[in-house]
Amino acid sequence: MRNLAGVLPDVEIAAITPVIAEIEALKKERRAVVLAHNYMTPDIFHGVADLRGDSLALARMAAETDAEVIVMAGVHFMAETAKILSPEKTVLIPDLRAGCSLAESITGADVRLLRQRYPGVPVVTYVNTSADVKAESDICCTSGNAVAVVESLGADRVIFLPDQYLGRWVASQTDVDVILWHGSCMVHERFTAEELRSYRKDHPGIRVIAHPECPPDVLAEADFVGSTAGMISWVEKNRPPRVVMVTECSMSDNVAAEVRDVEFVRPCNLCPHMKRITLAGIADSLRHMRHEVKVPAAIAERARRAVTRMLEVRP
């Protein structure tokens, strides 16, 4: 078991030690790894995760791991992406209800209609989408490489799906004309510029860093805008005395455990879908090989092209 001292209270560590021990034993038995997104709770992120990161990192890790079973401690589209890249592996998700408000904002049929409306315009799709939507796309992206992906196409105009706020931020960073879809993340959309100003008032000198899925007025108030990986790198490099990370709140908990000389002021906007993934659920999934994620071969093949093209682009 990993060392959780200083990450969780001793009484909580004692309570979860048996289930962590069971998960570790099951991983060996099943030849499995747990991939955990940055938004997982610390007991999962620091307790049982073998590979950790943002959606881009997890996509790469899923393609590279030699494990036979992948347990995705994240949401459903992440598990689908892992299966798309590793069709020979068994991919499990501990709770089938772990969806995504952003992914649910668009369908493959919507993309086909957009292609009819804008013939010849390439489609760039955020990885926070279903396999069906990826299959209708030219290339995928994450918040970490979105600008690089858009510019890699050499096109004057692109369709960017589905996050309107990330799309607006990308448009502000490039000369490419960006056609937007009006999807959004229920977590990041809740932040407001007024909220950020109140942090500055209550905590003089605080640095504010924000995820580009936040609304434009929020990004305008931030000292730094970047992906989850970019935000972590910024904190590690700059070591501000006090910082607020404007994103899903478990990420602050996880980064704080690694960067202990920085004080984190923590806005608590939780993703209800991410929080459906629990230690008990991971143990149950491995114990019974429950909730296997499958993608139809025809959809997976087309989606794989879009995801693979993304992985070839370096920001």
Side-chain angles (χ1 to χ4, degrees):
M1 188 180 75
R2 293 161 180 77
N3 184 11
L4 291 171
V7 177
L8 297 172
D10 290 345
V11 65
E12 186 173 346
I13 295 172
I16 64 176
T17 293
V19 68
I20 290 178
E22 181 185 9
I23 290 169
E24 294 299 327
L26 286 166
K27 284 194 295 185
K28 290 180 181 178
E29 178 184 342
R30 306 293 194 193
R31 296 196 61 190
V33 292
V34 174
L35 273 61
H37 190 267
N38 290 310
Y39 296 169
M40 286 293 103
T41 50
D43 56 344
I44 294 172
F45 193 80
H46 296 284
V48 297
D50 300 287
L51 301 168
R52 310 179 298 183
D54 63 4
S55 52
L56 177 57
L58 293 182
R60 289 193 172 120
M61 292 169 185
E64 294 168 359
T65 180
D66 59 1
E68 294 180 3
V69 177
I70 294 172
V71 181
M72 182 56 69
V75 292
H76 196 269
F77 75 79
M78 297 175 184
E80 279 192 333
T81 304
K83 184 64 177 179
I84 288 165
L85 291 172
S86 303
E88 75 286 0
K89 295 181 173 66
T90 299
V91 177
L92 306 176
I93 189 165
D95 194 317
L96 288 172
R97 299 171 298 167
C100 172
S101 60
L102 183 57
E104 292 166 4
S105 72
I106 192 166
T107 66
D110 293 324
V111 184
R112 291 190 290 272
L113 287 173
L114 283 167
R115 285 195 179 278
Q116 292 176 20
R117 184 177 301 174
Y118 301 101
V121 178
V123 176
V124 178
T125 295
Y126 196 22
V127 292
N128 298 37
T129 48
S130 67
D132 186 42
V133 170
K134 291 181 175 71
E136 299 295 337
S137 308
D138 293 292
I139 188 169
C140 291
C141 73
T142 70
S143 55
N145 68 3
V147 175
V149 165
V150 166
E151 294 188 338
S152 75
L153 298 175
D156 296 328
R157 197 181 200 196
V158 302
I159 299 168
F160 189 93
L161 309 171
D163 192 290
Q164 59 179 310
Y165 300 125
L166 176 60
R168 289 179 187 178
W169 182 79
V170 169
S172 74
Q173 306 296 307
T174 180
D175 292 330
V176 178
D177 181 23
V178 179
I179 300 167
L180 299 175
W181 183 258
H182 291 288
S184 60
C185 166
M186 65 187 295
V187 173
H188 293 96
E189 191 174 42
R190 291 203 300 266
F191 291 103
T192 66
E194 181 180 2
E195 182 180 0
L196 268 59
R197 288 191 290 269
S198 72
Y199 287 125
R200 293 194 189 278
K201 180 180 178 182
D202 296 338
H203 306 279
I206 195 169
R207 305 303 297 275
V208 177
I209 60 177
H211 193 281
E213 287 181 24
C214 295
D217 61 334
V218 171
L219 302 184
E221 290 287 337
D223 297 301
F224 173 78
V225 176
S227 66
T228 50
M231 295 166 80
I232 294 169
S233 295
W234 188 93
V235 172
E236 291 175 341
K237 178 182 178 181
N238 291 278
R239 286 298 207 276
R242 185 177 289 169
V243 68
V244 58
M245 303 182 84
V246 186
T247 187
E248 213 275 351
C249 69
S250 286
M251 183 168 154
S252 293
D253 296 334
N254 292 326
V255 179
E258 305 281 356
V259 188
R260 303 199 179 199
D261 57 330
V262 176
E263 178 186 352
F264 287 79
V265 176
R266 305 179 190 185
C268 205
N269 280 356
L270 287 169
C271 173
H273 300 291
M274 287 282 187
K275 270 35 187 187
R276 293 187 188 279
I277 307 301
T278 64
L279 280 178
I282 292 171
D284 182 76
S285 186
L286 279 168
R287 192 183 300 123
H288 302 289
M289 297 298 287
R290 186 168 287 164
H291 306 317
E292 182 176 356
V293 174
K294 298 183 179 182
V295 180
I299 291 176
E301 182 179 357
R302 293 163 58 214
R304 190 176 303 116
R305 288 196 293 268
V307 175
T308 300
R309 287 188 71 187
M310 171 189 75
L311 296 177
E312 292 170 352
V313 175
R314 297 290 173 174

